[in-house]
Amino acid sequence: MDFLTLFLIYLCFVLTTVALLCICSGRKESFLARSLNGASQVLSFIIPTQLQRVLQRALHRLFHTRSCLFVVLHIALQAAVYGEYTWEVFVYCWELQFHLLLLLLPYLLLAGNMGCFVLCSRANPGIITKSNHAALVKIYAYDGVLFQKGIVCPTCDLEKPARSKHCSFCNICVHRFDHHCVWVNNCIGAFNAKYFFLYLLTLTAMAATIATVTATFLIQVVLLSNMMHGSYIDDQGQERAVEILFLIQHLFLTFPRIVFMLGFVVLLTLVLGAYCCFNLYLALTNQTSNEWYKSRRCRCSHHQTSQPHDRQVVYRNIYSKGVWMNLKEIFKPPAVLERKKR
């Protein structure tokens, strides 16, 4: 199998992974959702109707109901990365006398990440019930734009407290709803937002650490072999100096699994890092993903309208109390503080 074929396979795998990562935002009108809808319309002319119905039921069960499939995929990806890191990268780096603490750091981060994962997936995100409804309604005021007073959830038959939302995956109303994360198979709400933030932070650190160690190993191999100062004979029989593309191809053919893993974790670091920064921004401004998306949609509809009276409706985040207090609210939700006082 030549280098181009291997690269195309790798590119397809990476694009698939990115698509799966985009699902964690939980927004129905995301770019991925629109792309899938467009693709389904094109394929509807090719795929038989009966097969379309089977695929629709399968996709609905996969993306619109609570499922452990992505949890299994999450664990499988971690196992594959750590398996390659342990059996090849760790051994090679140990022979090159890398510092032991640096080599063990990914395992320490893995332990912390798994702890946050379990807490995030098992914790109550803030399920609104008849017993706690009266207390949760008093926590946040209605802003009159994103959250209106008197709106009743038709499924739970309860008035929606401000900043809450009904999750179609779990079929529950969640206090300070952020989004439904398929990777932890749970909603992210007021009571497990801190676990999700730490889970995302440790996951990003894991990918970045493995990428750093692996890249350092490959650079060390290149430097020790003095390959950059060498030359090679191309297909036309001419002698050429070693270039970056030739170097990458040589490393790919020499350490195919390591280079493949490095590309995957680098991409993962970039995607998770961007998402982690976005969640940090939301935490510092006391917003949720649901509120951020609804506020942008509100601004878009405001700019598109030409009615004079509609311009009076301007969204303002009334829940922000300053950077420190906003961050503190993630780790100590107001409802928790109220229950401690009683």
Side-chain angles (χ1 to χ4, degrees):
M1 186 178 293
D2 60 0
F3 175 74
L4 180 60
T5 304
L6 290 173
F7 178 76
L8 290 175
I9 295 174
Y10 167 71
L11 183 62
C12 292
F13 178 78
V14 165
L15 291 175
T16 303
T17 305
V18 172
L20 292 175
L21 286 172
C22 291
I23 298 171
C24 66
S25 62
R27 293 188 290 272
K28 294 180 181 179
E29 299 298 326
S30 63
F31 173 76
L32 177 63
R34 292 195 300 268
S35 301
L36 289 176
N37 288 333
S40 63
Q41 291 177 2
V42 174
L43 293 175
S44 63
F45 296 101
I46 305 172
I47 303 175
T49 306
Q50 189 173 2
L51 182 58
Q52 287 182 38
R53 293 173 182 173
V54 174
L55 291 175
Q56 286 175 356
R57 286 196 293 267
L59 290 173
H60 181 271
R61 183 174 181 82
L62 186 61
F63 295 111
H64 295 282
T65 58
R66 201 172 181 185
S67 172
C68 293
L69 177 62
F70 287 98
V71 176
V72 175
L73 179 61
H74 170 275
I75 296 173
L77 288 173
Q78 278 193 339
V81 170
Y82 271 86
E84 179 60 27
Y85 175 81
T86 302
W87 297 115
E88 289 204 79
V89 178
F90 186 95
V91 175
Y92 288 140
C93 290
W94 180 254
E95 292 177 356
L96 292 174
Q97 298 182 343
F98 277 53
H99 199 284
L100 181 60
L101 182 59
L102 179 63
L103 298 179
L104 293 179
L105 184 57
Y107 299 103
L108 298 177
L109 291 170
L110 176 64
N113 179 258
M114 291 306 296
C116 295
F117 170 78
V118 172
L119 290 172
C120 187
S121 60
R122 301 291 295 176
N124 176 6
I127 301 174
I128 300 173
T129 61
K130 292 182 179 180
S131 59
N132 64 9
H133 177 266
L136 295 180
V137 167
K138 299 176 183 178
I139 295 175
Y140 295 113
Y142 293 93
D143 62 4
V145 180
L146 301 184
F147 304 103
Q148 304 282 347
K149 187 177 178 60
I151 303 298
V152 178
C153 175
T155 305
C156 301
D157 196 24
L158 292 171
E159 181 183 358
K160 290 183 178 181
R163 310 192 77 180
S164 67
K165 187 178 184 297
H166 184 86
C167 176
S168 58
F169 288 83
C170 303
N171 200 30
I172 55 173
C173 280
V174 178
H175 173 53
R176 198 183 183 276
F177 178 86
D178 191 280
H179 70 285
H180 181 92
C181 181
V182 295
W183 297 104
V184 299
N185 197 27
N186 198 6
C187 290
I188 308 302
F191 300 156
N192 66 346
K194 54 182 176 291
Y195 301 133
F196 179 75
F197 185 77
L198 294 174
Y199 160 77
L200 191 61
L201 190 65
T202 53
L203 192 63
T204 306
M206 281 167 49
T209 304
I210 293 177
T212 302
V213 174
T214 306
T216 305
F217 159 69
L218 292 176
I219 293 172
Q220 192 78 357
V221 168
V222 172
L223 294 176
L224 290 174
S225 63
N226 204 23
M227 193 182 305
M228 289 300 296
H229 301 286
S231 60
Y232 69 99
I233 306 299
D234 63 9
D235 296 336
Q236 285 75 31
Q238 297 180 353
E239 185 176 358
R240 293 181 178 274
V242 172
E243 301 170 348
I244 296 298
L245 183 61
F246 175 83
L247 187 63
I248 295 174
Q249 181 176 357
H250 176 76
L251 290 174
F252 194 93
L253 295 175
T254 308
F255 306 103
R257 292 189 298 272
I258 293 179
V259 175
F260 188 91
M261 183 197 71
L262 176 61
F264 175 72
V265 292
V266 166
L267 179 64
L268 202 61
T269 302
L270 295 175
V271 174
L272 289 174
Y275 189 55
C276 195
C277 291
F278 173 67
N279 274 267
L280 180 61
Y281 161 75
L282 293 179
L284 295 178
T285 56
N286 204 334
Q287 296 183 79
T288 64
S289 298
N290 178 54
E291 292 165 4
W292 178 84
Y293 175 68
K294 290 175 70 175
S295 66
R296 285 177 61 88
R297 189 173 58 182
C298 177
R299 292 190 187 103
C300 290
S301 61
H302 164 69
H303 288 302
Q304 289 172 359
T305 182
S306 59
Q307 299 295 330
H309 61 83
D310 287 341
R311 294 179 182 177
Q312 299 175 0
V313 181
V314 179
Y315 172 72
R316 183 174 63 89
N317 183 13
I318 66 172
Y319 306 113
S320 180
K321 305 170 185 175
V323 171
W324 172 247
M325 292 303 296
N326 292 341
L327 192 61
K328 184 180 178 181
E329 188 171 312
I330 296 294
F331 293 91
K332 289 186 178 181
V336 175
L337 294 177
E338 278 194 2
R339 287 188 292 183
K340 287 182 178 179
K341 291 179 182 178
R342 291 179 181 177

